[in-house]
Amino acid sequence: MKASKWGVVLLVALAIATFIALDLGRYLSLDALRQSQATLANSYAENPWALRAAFFVIYVAVASLSLPGAAILTLAGGGVFGLGWGLLLVSFASSIGATVSFLAARFVLRDVVQARFGARLADINQGVARDGALYLFSLRLIPVVPFFVINLAMGLTTMRARTFYWVSQLGMLAGTAVYVNAGTRLAELRSLQDVASPQLLGAFVLLGVFPLIAKALMNFIQQRKVYARWNAVRPQTFDRNLVVIGGGAGGLVSAYIAAAVKAKVTLVEAHKMGGDCLNYGCVPSKALIKSAKLAHQMRHADRYGLHSTSRTSDQGETLFSFKKVMQRIHDVIAAIEPHDSVERYTGLGVEVLQGYAKIINPWTVEIALNGGGIQTLTTRSIVIAAGARPFVPPLPGLDAVGYVTSDTLWDEFAKLDEVPKRLVVLGGGPIGCELAQSFARLGSAVTQVEMAPRIMAREDVEVSELAANSLRADGVDLLTSHKALRCEMVDGEKVLVVEHAGVEKRIAFDQLLCAVGRTARLSGYGLEELGIPTHKTVQTNEYLQTIYPNIFAAGDVAGPYQFTHVAAHQAWYAAVNALFGDFKKFKADYSVIPWATFIDPEVARVGLNEQDAKEQGIAYEVTKYGIDDLDRAIADSEAHGFVKVLTVPGKDKILGVTIVGTHAGDLLAEYVLAMKHGLSLNKILGTIHTYPTLAEANKYAAGEWKRAHQPHKLLEWVRKFHDWKRG
């Protein structure tokens, strides 16, 4: 704790100690107040402004230090100054004192609390940002809750000081008025119970609960208002319990769950079942990565004691067929397709319609069938799982020279006889890095252009640097801090013009791949006509509901993560809330989200990395284990990378894990399980791991933490004990 914070703590402690030592509390009793009432009245008559000022300062001090006696001072305000002046002085003094207490707690404690419990407090901070004023107002209306507790607790949150002040000023007014008014008949009071009777406290409790009831009522009214213009077309009965728009991961899971609980569900898909992941993303890219890695290993077979091969033979013949590589990718897609097929889901009880869906009103979906015709369905609930598409930057000349995206390259490159000789990849995110490395390993001269100072910017700097070095080692010409300006056709040659440090550079290419991110599919589904808010994604609440409580969104179209496994995760919440939300709703849980980038070496992580922890002001401790020391990695000639674990300082509670190395995505699963179920590093250390496997890296990382936290003093006594036993 900084010296200035210690100074505040010592100042408060000194003030409280003085209050106790001088027994100043004896002046803040009902008897003392009655005895001095006449004296105070005379002083007030002689010098009213001086007494008002002194009273105001004393009240602020008592409220700021949370000293006992605020209730007596409030009565004194009414007994000495009357209802008008008493209410004015007490109202402002109590609010200012509470705010001083609030700010002191924030200055001294908030950073420490947020650093230690920041991850747990994230939801609370979001709740305070959204409804904090309402809940503070309710608490202020209930004088049975000690105000000093409220001041301290709110000081540890992210609530603005001015919000805290005005809500306190308003919320405490009713209770203040009751006590000040009681002070005007001070002679009749025998104890504070005469003021705070059970009936009065009960009335305050009801008053405090009223804002919460009002909020619920407002939500109800808002929902009715949202539906108001549609009431005339609300069906009396419904064709379906659920209509799901989109046959990707989110839509498939939603439909599967609905069918499993015997709901009548229709799934609408306009193009290919399985969505982006099966047809354009995860599956084809991983099939490409496997072929590219094998080609890389063949060229470096000497690392395994075998004869290396170059990409071409001495006669100039290519040692692999790019067409066959691309054909294998389509074969892999075809092999997995039955898992997501119309036939499978029809067999599970899902009605699958192929066509374009548009929401006509909150209970009606119109489907333009691919085979022709229109089918209209009414439904109690709708799940929008339309996915996302690659974002194409508005580069001048891009359309003229032509380009592919992570969606279109699989069909376009399948037409090529050979791997593109000169490939430019725009984008330094996970997709761009995976594809750049793979095509470089297959023989393309790859130039990767990233506008930011480093690739994979969401990872720690050391991870980005390791990834960059790996790509460059495979022949990728990686250009960071380069901004793409335009595309040109010069003498029949395609050229990308980029800018770096104010200087333009020209890059000739045969193919250009745009991999600068993906954007949610929002148009064509009737969202705008229904007034459903969208800002890059469909806006939903924590239950994945849109402004219409019966319309939900899941997956890439909803965000905040564009991962297949998150889409499936959200789909469970969307489907269950859609079908059973009248009885119980579940908030989508993003507390433990894993992800991986499948470059070589793989990069996988869950929870916080150092970059996140610093941005969020969360204290952490780093434990790192180098995979170059792992027996199995050495045997496989894969001895590079590391396991990095972030923990609560001094404790083995896991805050986050980053793994860089072969099969990092698989190794991460143990930490995902541990974080989800509150298991610590000591639990991982105490678990038997098969030898020799890569999974031992997780155990050894836990061992590194244990070694760094040895009880040295205890071990010294143990050493002395053993010395004594040897005689």
Side-chain angles (χ1 to χ4, degrees), residues 584-642:
K584 170 68 176 176
K585 290 189 295 186
F586 298 88
K587 294 182 180 180
D589 179 13
Y590 304 116
S591 58
V592 183
I593 300 293
W595 66 78
T597 302
F598 295 92
I599 58 173
D600 187 10
E602 291 180 11
V603 176
R605 75 177 175 101
V606 62
L608 299 175
N609 60 10
E610 289 194 76
Q611 182 171 276
D612 294 335
K614 290 174 182 176
E615 289 175 355
Q616 298 176 31
I618 297 174
Y620 64 91
E621 183 179 324
V622 175
T623 299
K624 194 171 180 180
Y625 170 75
I627 293 177
D628 59 324
D629 194 47
L630 186 66
D631 292 359
R632 180 56 186 267
I634 295 171
D636 289 350
S637 293
E638 298 280 6
H640 44 254
F642 54 81

Side-chain angles (χ1 to χ4, degrees), residues 392-403 487-489 494 512 514:
V392 178
L395 278 181
L398 182 61
D399 289 332
V401 300
Y403 63 91
C487 293
E488 299 175 348
M489 187 73 76
K494 301 174 182 179
L512 186 147
C514 289

